[in-house]
PDB file of all heavy atoms in Angstrom:
ATOM      1  N   ASN L   1     195.820 112.100 115.805  1.00  0.00           N
ATOM      2  CA  ASN L   1     194.836 111.794 116.930  1.00  0.00           C
ATOM      3  C   ASN L   1     193.513 111.215 116.290  1.00  0.00           C
ATOM      4  O   ASN L   1     193.064 110.202 116.968  1.00  0.00           O
ATOM      5  CB  ASN L   1     194.513 113.050 117.680  1.00  0.00           C
ATOM      6  CG  ASN L   1     195.754 113.416 118.520  1.00  0.00           C
ATOM      7  OD1 ASN L   1     196.606 112.610 118.786  1.00  0.00           O
ATOM      8  ND2 ASN L   1     195.757 114.676 119.002  1.00  0.00           N
ATOM      9  N   PHE L   2     193.043 111.745 115.240  1.00  0.00           N
ATOM     10  CA  PHE L   2     191.857 111.286 114.608  1.00  0.00           C
ATOM     11  C   PHE L   2     192.002 109.764 114.188  1.00  0.00           C
ATOM     12  O   PHE L   2     191.100 108.914 114.424  1.00  0.00           O
ATOM     13  CB  PHE L   2     191.418 112.234 113.527  1.00  0.00           C
ATOM     14  CG  PHE L   2     190.178 111.592 112.738  1.00  0.00           C
ATOM     15  CD1 PHE L   2     188.994 111.817 113.208  1.00  0.00           C
ATOM     16  CD2 PHE L   2     190.403 111.009 111.552  1.00  0.00           C
ATOM     17  CE1 PHE L   2     187.849 111.307 112.491  1.00  0.00           C
ATOM     18  CE2 PHE L   2     189.280 110.586 110.768  1.00  0.00           C
ATOM     19  CZ  PHE L   2     188.010 110.681 111.148  1.00  0.00           C
ATOM     20  N   ILE L   3     192.975 109.598 113.490  1.00  0.00           N
ATOM     21  CA  ILE L   3     193.291 108.177 112.953  1.00  0.00           C
ATOM     22  C   ILE L   3     193.469 107.243 114.003  1.00  0.00           C
ATOM     23  O   ILE L   3     192.978 106.047 114.062  1.00  0.00           O
ATOM     24  CB  ILE L   3     194.570 108.198 112.107  1.00  0.00           C
ATOM     25  CG1 ILE L   3     194.186 108.985 110.842  1.00  0.00           C
ATOM     26  CG2 ILE L   3     194.974 106.658 111.666  1.00  0.00           C
ATOM     27  CD1 ILE L   3     195.409 109.246 109.888  1.00  0.00           C
ATOM     28  N   GLN L   4     194.148 107.615 115.213  1.00  0.00           N
ATOM     29  CA  GLN L   4     194.231 106.665 116.225  1.00  0.00           C
ATOM     30  C   GLN L   4     192.855 106.359 116.933  1.00  0.00           C
ATOM     31  O   GLN L   4     192.657 105.259 117.276  1.00  0.00           O
ATOM     32  CB  GLN L   4     195.187 107.453 117.346  1.00  0.00           C
ATOM     33  CG  GLN L   4     196.606 107.553 117.022  1.00  0.00           C
ATOM     34  CD  GLN L   4     197.445 106.302 117.457  1.00  0.00           C
ATOM     35  OE1 GLN L   4     196.899 105.299 117.529  1.00  0.00           O
ATOM     36  NE2 GLN L   4     198.743 106.405 117.388  1.00  0.00           N
ATOM     37  N   ARG L   5     191.981 107.371 117.040  1.00  0.00           N
ATOM     38  CA  ARG L   5     190.701 107.051 117.612  1.00  0.00           C
ATOM     39  C   ARG L   5     189.956 106.126 116.713  1.00  0.00           C
ATOM     40  O   ARG L   5     189.129 105.369 117.151  1.00  0.00           O
ATOM     41  CB  ARG L   5     189.908 108.412 117.787  1.00  0.00           C
ATOM     42  CG  ARG L   5     190.627 109.333 118.848  1.00  0.00           C
ATOM     43  CD  ARG L   5     189.556 110.495 119.273  1.00  0.00           C
ATOM     44  NE  ARG L   5     189.155 111.284 118.111  1.00  0.00           N
ATOM     45  CZ  ARG L   5     189.847 112.350 117.705  1.00  0.00           C
ATOM     46  NH1 ARG L   5     190.943 112.778 118.379  1.00  0.00           N
ATOM     47  NH2 ARG L   5     189.346 113.121 116.705  1.00  0.00           N
ATOM     48  N   MET L   6     190.218 106.306 115.328  1.00  0.00           N
ATOM     49  CA  MET L   6     189.423 105.369 114.437  1.00  0.00           C
ATOM     50  C   MET L   6     189.961 103.952 114.529  1.00  0.00           C
ATOM     51  O   MET L   6     189.134 102.936 114.537  1.00  0.00           O
ATOM     52  CB  MET L   6     189.609 105.980 112.980  1.00  0.00           C
ATOM     53  CG  MET L   6     188.841 107.246 112.635  1.00  0.00           C
ATOM     54  SD  MET L   6     187.135 107.219 112.903  1.00  0.00           S
ATOM     55  CE  MET L   6     186.904 107.829 114.490  1.00  0.00           C
ATOM     56  N   LYS L   7     191.286 103.815 114.825  1.00  0.00           N
ATOM     57  CA  LYS L   7     191.836 102.505 114.974  1.00  0.00           C
ATOM     58  C   LYS L   7     191.179 101.780 116.199  1.00  0.00           C
ATOM     59  O   LYS L   7     191.040 100.636 116.276  1.00  0.00           O
ATOM     60  CB  LYS L   7     193.411 102.582 115.159  1.00  0.00           C
ATOM     61  CG  LYS L   7     194.149 102.753 113.775  1.00  0.00           C
ATOM     62  CD  LYS L   7     195.611 102.707 114.029  1.00  0.00           C
ATOM     63  CE  LYS L   7     196.274 102.588 112.750  1.00  0.00           C
ATOM     64  NZ  LYS L   7     196.167 101.352 112.038  1.00  0.00           N
ATOM     65  N   GLN L   8     190.982 102.670 117.365  1.00  0.00           N
ATOM     66  CA  GLN L   8     190.417 102.212 118.491  1.00  0.00           C
ATOM     67  C   GLN L   8     188.918 101.642 118.243  1.00  0.00           C
ATOM     68  O   GLN L   8     188.512 100.755 118.960  1.00  0.00           O
ATOM     69  CB  GLN L   8     190.420 103.191 119.614  1.00  0.00           C
ATOM     70  CG  GLN L   8     191.770 103.565 120.076  1.00  0.00           C
ATOM     71  CD  GLN L   8     191.801 104.723 121.082  1.00  0.00           C
ATOM     72  OE1 GLN L   8     190.769 105.185 121.465  1.00  0.00           O
ATOM     73  NE2 GLN L   8     193.035 105.108 121.460  1.00  0.00           N
ATOM     74  N   ARG L   9     188.271 102.208 117.232  1.00  0.00           N
ATOM     75  CA  ARG L   9     187.032 101.875 116.832  1.00  0.00           C
ATOM     76  C   ARG L   9     186.903 100.714 115.719  1.00  0.00           C
ATOM     77  O   ARG L   9     185.937 100.392 115.284  1.00  0.00           O
ATOM     78  CB  ARG L   9     186.162 102.938 116.380  1.00  0.00           C
ATOM     79  CG  ARG L   9     185.850 104.072 117.550  1.00  0.00           C
ATOM     80  CD  ARG L   9     185.089 105.213 116.943  1.00  0.00           C
ATOM     81  NE  ARG L   9     183.776 104.841 116.419  1.00  0.00           N
ATOM     82  CZ  ARG L   9     182.851 105.672 116.216  1.00  0.00           C
ATOM     83  NH1 ARG L   9     182.966 106.883 116.352  1.00  0.00           N
ATOM     84  NH2 ARG L   9     181.570 105.365 115.622  1.00  0.00           N
ATOM     85  N   ARG L  10     188.149 100.203 115.435  1.00  0.00           N
ATOM     86  CA  ARG L  10     188.387  99.279 114.432  1.00  0.00           C
ATOM     87  C   ARG L  10     187.839  99.831 113.038  1.00  0.00           C
ATOM     88  O   ARG L  10     187.258  99.056 112.265  1.00  0.00           O
ATOM     89  CB  ARG L  10     187.674  97.908 114.784  1.00  0.00           C
ATOM     90  CG  ARG L  10     188.247  97.350 116.063  1.00  0.00           C
ATOM     91  CD  ARG L  10     187.577  96.026 116.350  1.00  0.00           C
ATOM     92  NE  ARG L  10     188.127  95.428 117.619  1.00  0.00           N
ATOM     93  CZ  ARG L  10     189.218  94.781 117.688  1.00  0.00           C
ATOM     94  NH1 ARG L  10     189.949  94.551 116.693  1.00  0.00           N
ATOM     95  NH2 ARG L  10     189.631  94.245 118.917  1.00  0.00           N
ATOM     96  N   VAL L  11     188.116 101.062 112.724  1.00  0.00           N
ATOM     97  CA  VAL L  11     187.734 101.693 111.540  1.00  0.00           C
ATOM     98  C   VAL L  11     189.031 102.020 110.694  1.00  0.00           C
ATOM     99  O   VAL L  11     189.945 102.604 111.283  1.00  0.00           O
ATOM    100  CB  VAL L  11     186.970 102.966 111.677  1.00  0.00           C
ATOM    101  CG1 VAL L  11     186.682 103.643 110.368  1.00  0.00           C
ATOM    102  CG2 VAL L  11     185.603 102.728 112.439  1.00  0.00           C
ATOM    103  N   THR L  12     189.101 101.347 109.498  1.00  0.00           N
ATOM    104  CA  THR L  12     190.389 101.682 108.734  1.00  0.00           C
ATOM    105  C   THR L  12     190.246 102.998 108.033  1.00  0.00           C
ATOM    106  O   THR L  12     189.229 103.412 107.456  1.00  0.00           O
ATOM    107  CB  THR L  12     190.498 100.539 107.667  1.00  0.00           C
ATOM    108  OG1 THR L  12     190.570  99.286 108.305  1.00  0.00           O
ATOM    109  CG2 THR L  12     191.713 100.846 106.812  1.00  0.00           C
ATOM    110  N   VAL L  13     191.386 103.711 108.066  1.00  0.00           N
ATOM    111  CA  VAL L  13     191.409 105.144 107.383  1.00  0.00           C
ATOM    112  C   VAL L  13     192.230 104.977 106.046  1.00  0.00           C
ATOM    113  O   VAL L  13     193.386 104.420 106.160  1.00  0.00           O
ATOM    114  CB  VAL L  13     191.919 106.118 108.311  1.00  0.00           C
ATOM    115  CG1 VAL L  13     192.057 107.494 107.480  1.00  0.00           C
ATOM    116  CG2 VAL L  13     190.998 106.318 109.385  1.00  0.00           C
ATOM    117  N   MET L  14     191.780 105.344 104.869  1.00  0.00           N
ATOM    118  CA  MET L  14     192.592 105.455 103.745  1.00  0.00           C
ATOM    119  C   MET L  14     192.641 106.899 103.303  1.00  0.00           C
ATOM    120  O   MET L  14     191.797 107.704 103.547  1.00  0.00           O
ATOM    121  CB  MET L  14     191.775 104.638 102.655  1.00  0.00           C
ATOM    122  CG  MET L  14     191.810 103.148 102.745  1.00  0.00           C
ATOM    123  SD  MET L  14     191.035 102.304 101.439  1.00  0.00           S
ATOM    124  CE  MET L  14     191.267 100.670 101.964  1.00  0.00           C
ATOM    125  N   LEU L  15     193.831 107.222 102.752  1.00  0.00           N
ATOM    126  CA  LEU L  15     194.037 108.608 102.324  1.00  0.00           C
ATOM    127  C   LEU L  15     194.166 108.672 100.862  1.00  0.00           C
ATOM    128  O   LEU L  15     195.118 107.896 100.192  1.00  0.00           O
ATOM    129  CB  LEU L  15     195.325 109.254 103.087  1.00  0.00           C
ATOM    130  CG  LEU L  15     195.384 109.196 104.522  1.00  0.00           C
ATOM    131  CD1 LEU L  15     196.690 109.685 105.136  1.00  0.00           C
ATOM    132  CD2 LEU L  15     194.048 109.887 105.089  1.00  0.00           C
ATOM    133  N   SER L  16     193.383 109.489 100.215  1.00  0.00           N
ATOM    134  CA  SER L  16     193.674 109.665  98.544  1.00  0.00           C
ATOM    135  C   SER L  16     193.871 111.100  98.270  1.00  0.00           C
ATOM    136  O   SER L  16     193.789 111.935  98.996  1.00  0.00           O
ATOM    137  CB  SER L  16     192.226 109.189  98.016  1.00  0.00           C
ATOM    138  OG  SER L  16     191.278 110.156  98.288  1.00  0.00           O
ATOM    139  N   GLY L  17     194.413 111.077  97.019  1.00  0.00           N
ATOM    140  CA  GLY L  17     194.763 112.477  96.505  1.00  0.00           C
ATOM    141  C   GLY L  17     196.079 113.064  97.063  1.00  0.00           C
ATOM    142  O   GLY L  17     196.095 114.179  97.329  1.00  0.00           O
ATOM    143  N   VAL L  18     196.910 112.167  97.651  1.00  0.00           N
ATOM    144  CA  VAL L  18     197.984 112.651  98.539  1.00  0.00           C
ATOM    145  C   VAL L  18     199.096 113.223  97.566  1.00  0.00           C
ATOM    146  O   VAL L  18     199.702 112.380  96.836  1.00  0.00           O
ATOM    147  CB  VAL L  18     198.555 111.582  99.312  1.00  0.00           C
ATOM    148  CG1 VAL L  18     199.799 111.978 100.161  1.00  0.00           C
ATOM    149  CG2 VAL L  18     197.486 111.008 100.343  1.00  0.00           C
ATOM    150  N   HIS L  19     199.387 114.484  97.549  1.00  0.00           N
ATOM    151  CA  HIS L  19     200.392 115.079  96.693  1.00  0.00           C
ATOM    152  C   HIS L  19     201.722 115.078  97.289  1.00  0.00           C
ATOM    153  O   HIS L  19     201.959 114.601  98.528  1.00  0.00           O
ATOM    154  CB  HIS L  19     199.970 116.466  96.281  1.00  0.00           C
ATOM    155  CG  HIS L  19     199.700 117.323  97.549  1.00  0.00           C
ATOM    156  ND1 HIS L  19     200.622 117.809  98.277  1.00  0.00           N
ATOM    157  CD2 HIS L  19     198.566 117.900  97.892  1.00  0.00           C
ATOM    158  CE1 HIS L  19     200.111 118.643  99.307  1.00  0.00           C
ATOM    159  NE2 HIS L  19     198.741 118.693  99.035  1.00  0.00           N
ATOM    160  N   ALA L  20     202.782 115.401  96.585  1.00  0.00           N
ATOM    161  CA  ALA L  20     204.088 115.200  97.150  1.00  0.00           C
ATOM    162  C   ALA L  20     204.418 115.855  98.333  1.00  0.00           C
ATOM    163  O   ALA L  20     205.091 115.250  99.202  1.00  0.00           O
ATOM    164  CB  ALA L  20     205.083 115.711  95.883  1.00  0.00           C
ATOM    165  N   ALA L  21     204.111 117.074  98.525  1.00  0.00           N
ATOM    166  CA  ALA L  21     204.307 117.857  99.889  1.00  0.00           C
ATOM    167  C   ALA L  21     203.641 117.125 101.036  1.00  0.00           C
ATOM    168  O   ALA L  21     204.301 117.088 102.100  1.00  0.00           O
ATOM    169  CB  ALA L  21     203.933 119.311  99.609  1.00  0.00           C
ATOM    170  N   MET L  22     202.361 116.699 100.738  1.00  0.00           N
ATOM    171  CA  MET L  22     201.643 116.112 101.813  1.00  0.00           C
ATOM    172  C   MET L  22     202.413 114.740 102.228  1.00  0.00           C
ATOM    173  O   MET L  22     202.569 114.365 103.457  1.00  0.00           O
ATOM    174  CB  MET L  22     200.189 115.832 101.486  1.00  0.00           C
ATOM    175  CG  MET L  22     199.411 115.102 102.508  1.00  0.00           C
ATOM    176  SD  MET L  22     199.072 116.208 103.965  1.00  0.00           S
ATOM    177  CE  MET L  22     197.925 117.295 103.252  1.00  0.00           C
ATOM    178  N   ALA L  23     202.847 113.873 101.159  1.00  0.00           N
ATOM    179  CA  ALA L  23     203.517 112.629 101.388  1.00  0.00           C
ATOM    180  C   ALA L  23     204.801 112.926 102.168  1.00  0.00           C
ATOM    181  O   ALA L  23     205.097 112.016 103.078  1.00  0.00           O
ATOM    182  CB  ALA L  23     203.766 111.971 100.032  1.00  0.00           C
ATOM    183  N   THR L  24     205.565 113.927 101.860  1.00  0.00           N
ATOM    184  CA  THR L  24     206.822 114.090 102.539  1.00  0.00           C
ATOM    185  C   THR L  24     206.612 114.464 103.912  1.00  0.00           C
ATOM    186  O   THR L  24     207.290 113.915 104.873  1.00  0.00           O
ATOM    187  CB  THR L  24     207.568 115.384 101.881  1.00  0.00           C
ATOM    188  OG1 THR L  24     207.862 115.059 100.515  1.00  0.00           O
ATOM    189  CG2 THR L  24     208.984 115.661 102.568  1.00  0.00           C
ATOM    190  N   THR L  25     205.561 115.311 104.308  1.00  0.00           N
ATOM    191  CA  THR L  25     205.293 115.758 105.728  1.00  0.00           C
ATOM    192  C   THR L  25     204.791 114.399 106.499  1.00  0.00           C
ATOM    193  O   THR L  25     205.217 114.250 107.610  1.00  0.00           O
ATOM    194  CB  THR L  25     204.345 116.830 105.729  1.00  0.00           C
ATOM    195  OG1 THR L  25     204.742 118.002 104.965  1.00  0.00           O
ATOM    196  CG2 THR L  25     204.031 117.226 107.156  1.00  0.00           C
ATOM    197  N   MET L  26     203.901 113.704 105.782  1.00  0.00           N
ATOM    198  CA  MET L  26     203.414 112.549 106.438  1.00  0.00           C
ATOM    199  C   MET L  26     204.538 111.408 106.740  1.00  0.00           C
ATOM    200  O   MET L  26     204.599 110.896 107.815  1.00  0.00           O
ATOM    201  CB  MET L  26     202.284 111.813 105.567  1.00  0.00           C
ATOM    202  CG  MET L  26     201.108 112.572 105.491  1.00  0.00           C
ATOM    203  SD  MET L  26     199.998 111.894 104.161  1.00  0.00           S
ATOM    204  CE  MET L  26     199.845 110.212 104.596  1.00  0.00           C
TER     205      MET L  26
END
């Protein structure tokens, strides 16, 4: 929901430090 709201404001979101478990769930 947060990323969707940022897209509506034309703000790009980048994710860093994404470990394996987080990447799988994403």
Side-chain angles (χ1 to χ4, degrees):
N1 289 339
F2 174 76
I3 294 169
Q4 289 280 17
R5 294 195 300 271
M6 291 301 98
K7 280 183 172 291
Q8 293 173 5
R9 294 181 58 169
R10 299 185 182 280
V11 176
T12 301
V13 175
M14 294 181 177
L15 304 178
S16 69
V18 178
H19 50 73
M22 180 69 72
T24 300
T25 304
M26 289 170 56

